[in-house]
Amino acid sequence: SAVISQKPSRDICQRGTSLTIQCQVDSQVTMMFWYRQQPGQSLTLIATANQGSEATYESGFVIDKFPISRPNLTFSTLTVSNMSPEDSSIYLCSVGDGVAEHFGPGTRLTVT
Amino acid sequence: QKEVEQDPGPLSVPEGAIVSLNCTYSNSAFQYFMWYRQYSRKGPELLMYTYSSGNKEDGRFTAQVDKSSKYISLFIRDSQPSDSATYLCAMRTQGGSEKLVFGKGMKLTVNP
């Protein structure tokens, strides 16, 4: 399966600032997704990153807060904007193979 | 009623025990059933998936799907301390663009 990397692996940020998380895949993929995993919780889908068009956001998530870019078939970014402590979480990107999804290692974000 | 229900545990067993992890679901349209393993501070890793009903075996792991009862299981034989992780079930319908629906995840500890 595809090898997925994320940068940064972790960060501590001040409230009101923004952080951009990068997701790089070692092969071209059609489906890329961004998830949030809050401490002790399961995964919540934020959006589907579409190549060449706007991301498709799930209920409760908006583009102004979580802008996503997908410039090509191997790369995507998720920005967490105007952060608050409630945004402290693990952010994961994944790629779909038509059946299952394969996840990156995650970015652990702490907002102080 | 949530689409996918999974007892979050935690579950603690001695080394060598047979472990049974289970999920129930309500959407009869689900056709793909997956199990992910997530070690602490890592992204989820796909263990195995099954399509429709039946069993699938991979080494010490066996996945079972009972669509009539809307019930899936993951069995781990001869459990090892290295199996200590959170196990998440996930499922989806037939369409290639349909999102995964995850259970809450069960935290398993195998004690040496």
Side-chain angles (χ1 to χ4, degrees), chain A residues 33-36 43-46 91-92 94 101 103, chain B residues 102:
Chain A
F33 307 91
W34 286 98
Y35 285 83
R36 181 172 73 183
L43 292 90
T44 301
L45 180 63
I46 297 171
Y91 292 85
L92 295 144
S94 74
E101 289 179 32
F103 288 85
Chain B
F102 284 88

Side-chain angles (χ1 to χ4, degrees), chain A residues 38-77:
Chain A
Q38 293 179 308
Q41 301 297 313
S42 189
L43 292 90
T44 301
L45 180 63
I46 297 171
T48 301
N50 304 308
Q51 196 266 331
S53 64
E54 273 196 10
T56 304
Y57 288 85
E58 296 297 305
S59 175
F61 298 96
V62 295
I63 187 171
D64 289 346
K65 177 68 175 176
F66 297 102
I68 288 170
S69 78
R70 179 87 194 271
N72 57 52
L73 292 175
T74 64
F75 187 78
S76 179
T77 66

